[in-house]
């Protein structure tokens, strides 16, 4: 804290008071005043002192500034105190505090990280973690790991996956984390270089070590999208999320493990799965549609479907009070003949079948799509002739 | 005094020595003196340790110079000691440095902190410096409550905070004011760079 004289002549006080009425930012007002009085008569620091004093109606023109230590803004307080103050601020107000300045943004992010989306992408030789607009990339090098944090290269000793995991786990395991969507993609596109199998195994092992904040507090995630992961890892990550709040789950992967059936059964029984409103399960082409049909909308991949299965699904959806939409993806050029024969419903020339929902003015519409092959079912308002 | 005129005192009660309260004397950096009870001082971990280490007797506190608190002015110290006297004897919460707990601001504290923001920030600074845990809690809570429903611009006004641009501009202005040659040197450096030189030297 420094001692600074805040005394200024009365004519300057009047001018600053007038500037404060204009509701302009402090520096703009200061520059405006300097145009008239010159740059040398008044420092910005002194201007700011009087400007904010008048703006906040803390003192008037006759205020006698003392030569007390100059600690009159929140910024002047020690960092841990500012952190404490921010900690008391209601969560609903924190987003506005975050916009005050870079300093407060960093404090809020440390105290209560709040992201719309965290996206982790594993590719050959690198892994990236994108926290909304901030992207960190961890590259495998001969000597260790090069971390690119928000565009700046930082050489970090150690394995690139471990360095990534230290950062990622610290974020995920923060009990104040507010996160809408978590996306983990470990499946390179066809044009990309395949993953190193050893690195993928290590990544899998690291993901299994992720824990809930405080070891018991569930993660507040609404959307979980896992691509190219082993089912047990997907299952583990899903188990960290809060059931009910997690409303969308998408698991796209074709990896099969030795105890696949056991893990699959376990996953279908999890509260997170049972309470989700939207489900997508692609890659494992033999899972029964009934395991997803409790959701309002769902998507699954099947190599084939028997007539009995399709009839069973139709009956279930006709009784489903909140069902909205589903899509069953089939291999290319799939032959629907058997299914269509089994449906025996009313249909039109556009390959659409309709089934009236009992006690309602709605019906289920079955559409058979070719190239790519899929069956789409939706609930629509429609009066059958 | 005759025996008849003497006040009636119960013998047993009279036998108990009346414990004399000790008041310590403190002096702010602007030479204002305060007398604070021993019990009130216990609210401040810093002052409590200080007086314990000094081991003053009742005579010492009267005869020796007041204990100087050089970093805090009289106006702020007055508020601090008013708070300590009001809350003397109360349990001191444990400060484990964790995320703040739920804090209610008592009526007395609310009135005490009905002051301008500059003084409030000084009070927080003093509570931190003197390690008065509960005063720090309520004063931080009071500052936090000011954020309710405010836009970023309003928050800057309430907390007396500059925006990033203002902060940068102020730093630049201060730098230029400190060294009028700075800009000239910078311009010269830029000019040399444009001419192809890699180094100013």
């Amino acid at each position: 804290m420094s001692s600074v004289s805040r005394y200024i002549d009365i004519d300057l006080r009047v001018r600053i008071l007038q500037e404060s009425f204009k509701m302009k930012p402090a520096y703009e007002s200061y520059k405006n005043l300097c145009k008239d009085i010159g740059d040398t008569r008044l420092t910005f620091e002194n201007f700011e002192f009087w400007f904010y004093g008048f703006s906040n109606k803390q003192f008037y023109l006759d205020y006698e500034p003392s030569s007390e230590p100059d600690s009159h803004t929140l910024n002047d307080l020690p960092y841990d105190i500012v952190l404490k103050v921010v900690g008391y601020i209601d969560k609903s107000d924190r987003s506005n505090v975050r916009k005050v300045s870079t300093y407060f943004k960093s404090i809020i992010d440390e105290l209560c990280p709040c992201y719309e989306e965290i996206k982790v992408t594993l590719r050959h030789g690198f892994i990236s973690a994108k926290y909304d607009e901030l992207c960190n990339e961890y590259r495998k090098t001969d000597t260790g790991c090069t971390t690119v944090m928000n565009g700046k290269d930082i050489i970090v000793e150690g394995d690139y996956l471990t360095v990534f995991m230290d950062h990622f786990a610290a974020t995920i395991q923060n009990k104040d984390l507010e996160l809408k969507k978590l996306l983990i993609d470990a499946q390179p596109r066809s044009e990309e270089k395949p993953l190193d199998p050893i690195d993928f195994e290590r990544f899998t092992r690291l993901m299994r070590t992720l824990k809930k904040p405080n070891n018991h507090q569930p993660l507040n995630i609404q959307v979980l999208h896992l691509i190219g992961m082993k089912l047990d890892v997907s299952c583990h990550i899903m188990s960290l999320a809060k059931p009910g709040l997690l409303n969308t789950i998408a698991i796209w992967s074709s990896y099969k493990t030795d105890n696949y059936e056991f893990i699959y059964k376990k996953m279908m029984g999890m509260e997170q799965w049972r309470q989700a409103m939207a489900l997508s399960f692609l890659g494992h082409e033999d899972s029964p549609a009934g395991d997803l049909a409790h959701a309002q909308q769902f998507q699954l991949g099947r190599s084939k479907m028997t007539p009995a299965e399709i009839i069973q699904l139709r009956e279930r959806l006709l009784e489903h009070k909140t069902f909205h939409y589903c899509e069953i993806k089939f291999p290319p050029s799939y032959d629907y003949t058997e299914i269509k024969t089994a449906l025996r419903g009313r249909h039109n020339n556009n390959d659409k079948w309709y089934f009236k929902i009992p006690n309602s003015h709605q019906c289920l519409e079955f559409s058979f799509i070719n190239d790519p092959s899929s069956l789409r079912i939706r609930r629509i308002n429609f009066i059958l002739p | 005094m005759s025996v008849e005129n003497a006040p009636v005192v119960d013998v047993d009660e009279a036998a108990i020595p009346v414990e004399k309260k000790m008041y310590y004397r403190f002096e702010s950096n602007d030479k204002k003196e305060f007398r604070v009870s021993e019990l009130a001082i216990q609210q401040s971990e810093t002052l409590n340790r200080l007086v314990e280490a000094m081991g003053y007797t009742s005579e010492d506190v009267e005869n020796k110079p007041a204990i100087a608190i050089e970093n805090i002015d009289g106006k702020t110290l007055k508020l601090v000691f008013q708070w300590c006297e009001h809350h003397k004897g109360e349990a001191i919460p444990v400060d484990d440095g964790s995320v703040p707990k739920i804090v209610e601001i008592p009526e007395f504290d609310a009135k005490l902190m009905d002051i301008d923001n500059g003084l409030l920030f000084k009070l927080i600074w003093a509570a931190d410096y003197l390690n008065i845990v509960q005063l720090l809690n309520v004063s931080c809570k009071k500052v936090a409550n000011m954020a309710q429903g405010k836009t970023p611009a309003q928050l800057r006004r309430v907390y007396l905070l500059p925006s990033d641009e203002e902060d940068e501009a102020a730093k630049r202005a201060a730098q230029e004011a400190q060294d009028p040659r700075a800009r000239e040197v910078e311009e010269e450096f830029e000019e040399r760079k444009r001419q192809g030189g890699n180094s100013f030297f």
Side-chain angles (χ1 to χ4, degrees), chain B residues 2-56:
Chain B
S2 68
V3 175
E4 288 80 6
N5 292 335
V8 180
V9 179
D10 186 270
V11 177
D12 291 341
E13 197 180 311
I16 301 166
V18 178
E19 197 186 330
K20 204 177 169 189
K21 272 189 186 173
M22 194 143 86
Y23 282 82
Y24 286 88
R25 287 160 51 233
F26 293 96
E27 191 181 77
S28 63
N29 63 1
D30 48 359
K31 306 293 173 202
K32 283 177 186 148
E33 197 176 298
F34 300 90
R35 295 173 78 83
V36 190
S37 72
E38 208 176 354
L39 198 57
I41 287 169
Q42 287 174 8
Q43 290 292 327
S44 161
E45 196 190 324
T46 309
L47 293 181
N48 200 32
R49 279 190 184 167
L50 183 72
V51 296
E52 271 178 16
M54 286 175 142
Y56 275 10

Side-chain angles (χ1 to χ4, degrees), chain A residues 26 56 68 72 93 96 102, chain B residues 122 149-150 157 160 164 166:
Chain A
N56 295 321
E68 290 163 359
H72 62 275
D93 290 312
N96 277 344
T102 320
Chain B
K122 283 183 188 175
K150 300 277 192 312
R157 281 174 175 258
L160 316 172
D164 283 346
E166 287 172 350

Side-chain angles (χ1 to χ4, degrees), chain A residues 257-274:
Chain A
T257 47
D258 293 340
N259 48 357
Y260 175 81
E261 297 301 333
F262 171 77
I263 297 162
Y264 176 81
K265 206 173 165 185
K266 183 184 157 195
M267 193 172 88
M268 295 300 134
M270 284 169 67
E271 279 305 307
Q272 288 85 349
W273 186 266
R274 288 156 63 90

Side-chain angles (χ1 to χ4, degrees), chain B residues 112-125:
Chain B
L112 185 88
M113 292 188 293
D114 192 10
I115 47 180
D116 69 61
N117 292 357
L119 187 55
L120 181 60
F121 294 137
K122 283 183 188 175
L123 181 66
I124 292 178
W125 192 91

Side-chain angles (χ1 to χ4, degrees), chain B:
Chain B
M1 190 188 287
S2 68
V3 175
E4 288 80 6
N5 292 335
V8 180
V9 179
D10 186 270
V11 177
D12 291 341
E13 197 180 311
I16 301 166
V18 178
E19 197 186 330
K20 204 177 169 189
K21 272 189 186 173
M22 194 143 86
Y23 282 82
Y24 286 88
R25 287 160 51 233
F26 293 96
E27 191 181 77
S28 63
N29 63 1
D30 48 359
K31 306 293 173 202
K32 283 177 186 148
E33 197 176 298
F34 300 90
R35 295 173 78 83
V36 190
S37 72
E38 208 176 354
L39 198 57
I41 287 169
Q42 287 174 8
Q43 290 292 327
S44 161
E45 196 190 324
T46 309
L47 293 181
N48 200 32
R49 279 190 184 167
L50 183 72
V51 296
E52 271 178 16
M54 286 175 142
Y56 275 10
T57 61
S58 309
E59 286 74 35
D60 288 338
V61 293
E62 292 304 328
N63 299 330
K64 290 192 175 179
I67 301 163
I69 302 177
E70 290 176 356
N71 294 332
I72 306 172
D73 61 77
K75 215 169 168 182
T76 313
L77 210 51
K78 187 181 173 187
L79 292 171
V80 169
F81 289 144
Q82 276 178 345
W83 188 92
C84 289
E85 287 292 356
H86 185 83
H87 293 279
K88 63 187 171 194
E90 289 179 14
I92 298 164
V94 179
D95 185 13
D96 57 2
S98 64
V99 174
K101 302 129 276 239
I102 296 164
V103 171
E104 295 293 334
I105 303 177
E107 199 182 334
F108 174 85
D109 296 11
K111 279 185 186 166
L112 185 88
M113 292 188 293
D114 192 10
I115 47 180
D116 69 61
N117 292 357
L119 187 55
L120 181 60
F121 294 137
K122 283 183 188 175
L123 181 66
I124 292 178
W125 192 91
D128 182 47
Y129 178 71
L130 298 175
N131 208 350
I132 308 172
V133 179
Q134 188 56 13
L135 177 58
L136 187 61
N137 284 345
V138 290
S139 51
C140 286
K141 174 73 176 169
K142 157 97 180 175
V143 174
N145 286 350
M146 292 175 186
Q148 273 176 10
K150 300 277 192 312
T151 63
Q154 287 169 329
L155 286 167
R156 279 188 206 107
R157 281 174 175 258
V158 168
Y159 289 146
L160 316 172
L161 297 169
S163 64
D164 283 346
E165 295 75 28
E166 287 172 350
D167 210 17
E168 280 301 310
K171 275 182 198 161
R172 271 203 308 277
Q175 209 173 8
E176 281 170 20
Q178 208 172 26
D179 181 6
R181 272 268 302 156
R183 184 166 285 280
E184 287 173 38
V185 171
E186 211 171 283
E187 281 169 5
E188 199 175 334
F189 178 63
E190 288 300 319
E191 182 56 34
R192 283 182 181 237
K193 257 175 51 177
R194 271 197 296 276
Q195 288 170 2
N198 289 327
S199 162
F200 182 67
F201 301 102

